[in-house]
């Protein structure tokens, strides 16, 4: 899986082949095909494995909700700079061209990550707010949308100002829509 990550970064999605992965990993091509049907399957497995820890929600009890939210967004921004983040970008690009990749990505990694993001935001807000599920779902879109937009549409790095502004605005919206009094 590390060979696939490395080759993707070096050669891009179209330059990545099963043969190249096998050669870099020092195994026979048949060994690769024993475990995966395609390079997309390999990349999905590497993405799931790498993102689980990198995109984990963590809470520092001594920090404010805004600081914790900004800290999580900084981890997301950093993730996009890593090989695993480049794998996600490549798969999202390929998903626009190939429906099987889109389905695999959405039903696998993206669905699981979405559940982690909803749970993480819910738990972070629960210290001071109660937000209904529909609003929580929208807040996750508002939280992550600007970061994905910056990286995927403009191909630009995510700066600290975007992280801080996004965290502050999402928290403000959560407080405004909260069904509990602060």
């Amino acid at each position: 899986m590390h060979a696939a990550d490395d080759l993707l970064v070096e050669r891009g999605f179209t330059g990545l082949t099963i043969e190249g992965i096998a050669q870099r990993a020092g195994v026979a091509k048949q060994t690769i095909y024993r475990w995966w049907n395609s390079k997309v399957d390999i990349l999905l497995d590497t993405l799931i494995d790498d993102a689980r820890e990198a995109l984990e929600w963590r809470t520092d009890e001594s920090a404010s909700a805004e600081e914790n939210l900004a800290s999580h967004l900084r981890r997301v921004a950093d993730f996009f700079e890593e090989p695993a983040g480049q794998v996600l970008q490549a798969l999202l690009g390929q998903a626009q061209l190939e429906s099987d990749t889109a389905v695999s990505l959405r039903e696998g990694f993206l669905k699981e990550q979405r559940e982690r993001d909803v749970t993480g935001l819910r738990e972070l807000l629960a210290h001071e707010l109660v937000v209904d599920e529909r609003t929580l779902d929208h807040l996750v879109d508002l939280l992550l949308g600007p970061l994905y937009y910056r990286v995927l549409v403009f191909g630009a790095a995510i700066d600290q100002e975007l992280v801080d502004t996004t965290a502050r605005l999402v928290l403000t919206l959560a407080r405004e829509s909260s069904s509990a009094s602060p």
Side-chain angles (χ1 to χ4, degrees):
M1 291 194 304
H2 293 295
D5 275 354
D6 294 343
L7 285 171
L8 176 74
V9 171
E10 291 171 21
R11 299 181 184 167
F13 186 83
T14 55
L16 180 67
T17 63
I18 295 292
E19 293 80 10
I21 295 168
Q23 183 179 15
R24 176 68 62 96
V27 299
K29 191 166 63 169
Q30 295 82 357
T31 302
I32 302 291
Y33 282 117
R34 189 175 307 135
W35 295 98
W36 297 281
N37 293 324
S38 69
K39 66 182 180 181
V40 168
D41 292 337
I42 296 170
L43 292 173
L44 282 168
D45 279 355
T46 64
L47 177 61
I48 289 166
D49 191 48
D50 292 341
R52 191 170 288 121
E53 183 179 334
L55 299 177
E56 177 184 15
W57 282 73
R58 302 175 195 126
T59 303
D60 177 353
E61 297 300 326
S62 66
S64 69
E66 188 173 324
E67 290 167 332
N68 277 312
L69 205 48
S71 177
H72 179 70
L73 292 177
R74 184 78 258 152
R75 281 191 298 282
V76 173
D78 291 345
F79 175 77
F80 276 116
E81 298 293 324
E82 298 170 4
Q86 293 174 18
V87 168
L88 175 57
Q89 292 174 60
L91 287 170
L92 286 167
Q94 187 64 21
Q96 303 308 305
L97 304 172
E98 187 179 291
S99 62
D100 289 346
T101 300
V103 169
S104 295
L105 185 58
R106 287 181 187 130
E107 291 180 0
F109 170 75
L110 292 174
K111 181 179 177 184
E112 290 174 18
Q113 187 58 46
R114 179 63 175 215
E115 290 168 2
R116 286 190 291 271
D117 289 333
V118 168
T119 300
L121 185 58
R122 180 188 305 110
E123 289 173 359
L124 185 132
L125 295 176
H127 295 288
E128 64 177 88
L129 307 170
V130 176
V131 178
D132 67 76
E133 290 301 308
R134 185 166 187 254
T135 300
L136 186 65
D137 195 53
H138 291 159
L139 289 172
V140 169
D141 289 343
L142 293 169
L143 181 67
L144 297 170
L147 279 66
Y148 277 72
Y149 184 79
R150 175 75 55 96
V151 170
L152 297 173
V153 174
F154 286 107
I158 300 165
D159 58 45
Q160 192 62 42
E161 183 180 2
L162 179 61
V163 165
D164 293 340
T165 301
T166 302
R168 185 178 61 255
L169 291 174
V170 167
L171 205 50
T172 298
L173 289 171
R175 288 180 177 129
E176 288 176 4
S177 65
S178 176
S179 57
S181 48

